[in-house]
Amino acid sequence: MLMNIVVLLVIALVGLALYANSRPDTFRVQRATTIQASPEKVFGFVNDFHRWSSWSPWEKLDPTMQKTHSGASVGKGAVYEWAGNGKVGQGRMEITEAMAPNRIAIKLDFLKPMEAHNVAEFSLAARGGATEVVWAMHGPAPFVSKLMGVFISMDRLIGKDFETGLANLKAAAEA
């Protein structure tokens, strides 16, 4: 009886590993909103890491988080590094592309609690007197991420933070 349970458990674990390994090698999470402000105004909130504290959903998770700004003051070459509690971890962002007022690309390196190297993109498009903002993040999905993805949807997990961030960005830009 015990041997049957062990065999079934091993078969289940192998099946889980094979299923996880068959999942895509990359991921993408994306959310969008419309902000009643010009693309130039919205662009200023995203292109300047110093202004992220007014809208980033992670800034409020650790009020004692250590933040360092270096490189360019805004735009391409601007760097933002952080180290905080378990909710925000540790990492580094660098703006790699800033095409005012339509696009910003950011190299996003998480160091703790789990290392990951991704790209965040903000696309802004004028829609009458408003701006449609699309916030996306994409990157590789190593085996551990694929395995976690069987139980936890990356889209739901990160998507909620993007929705909160976009709502905060909307409030800040429309104020």
Side-chain angles (χ1 to χ4, degrees):
M1 174 83 155
L2 182 60
M3 186 60 131
N4 288 341
I5 292 172
V6 170
V7 168
L8 285 175
L9 184 60
V10 168
I11 290 171
L13 290 175
V14 168
L16 177 65
L18 289 172
Y19 174 70
N21 198 49
S22 72
R23 297 175 58 86
D25 292 331
T26 61
F27 78 94
R28 181 176 182 88
V29 176
Q30 178 176 308
R31 295 293 187 273
T33 194
T34 300
I35 297 175
Q36 298 301 315
S38 70
E40 292 80 9
K41 184 173 183 181
V42 177
F43 186 87
F45 280 94
V46 181
N47 193 47
D48 182 351
F49 286 138
H50 298 93
R51 297 181 78 183
W52 278 50
S53 60
S54 68
W55 64 269
S56 171
W58 298 285
E59 293 274 341
K60 292 165 184 48
L61 294 178
D62 183 1
T64 63
M65 178 172 57
Q66 297 174 8
K67 300 178 268 186
T68 305
H69 297 273
S70 61
S73 60
V74 299
K76 186 174 181 175
V79 174
Y80 174 83
E81 296 177 82
W82 74 92
N85 63 23
K87 293 179 182 178
V88 297
Q90 180 180 355
R92 181 181 191 276
M93 294 189 291
E94 179 176 352
I95 297 177
T96 57
E97 184 180 337
M99 296 173 32
N102 304 106
R103 179 175 155 71
I104 296 169
I106 299 169
K107 181 179 180 235
L108 178 55
D109 297 311
F110 296 102
L111 305 174
K112 291 179 183 176
M114 192 167 88
E115 188 172 341
H117 305 283
N118 303 310
V119 174
E121 299 171 326
F122 291 85
S123 300
L124 294 83
R127 300 283 185 254
T131 302
E132 180 185 37
V133 179
V134 177
W135 184 3
M137 182 171 74
H138 58 89
F143 179 75
V144 172
S145 295
K146 292 179 186 186
L147 188 59
M148 286 175 41
V150 171
F151 303 102
I152 302 168
S153 167
M154 189 76 135
D155 187 76
R156 275 195 227 126
L157 186 67
I158 297 173
K160 289 179 185 178
D161 291 333
F162 281 20
E163 290 165 9
T164 300
L166 287 171
N168 294 344
L169 179 60
K170 179 179 177 77
E174 290 179 354

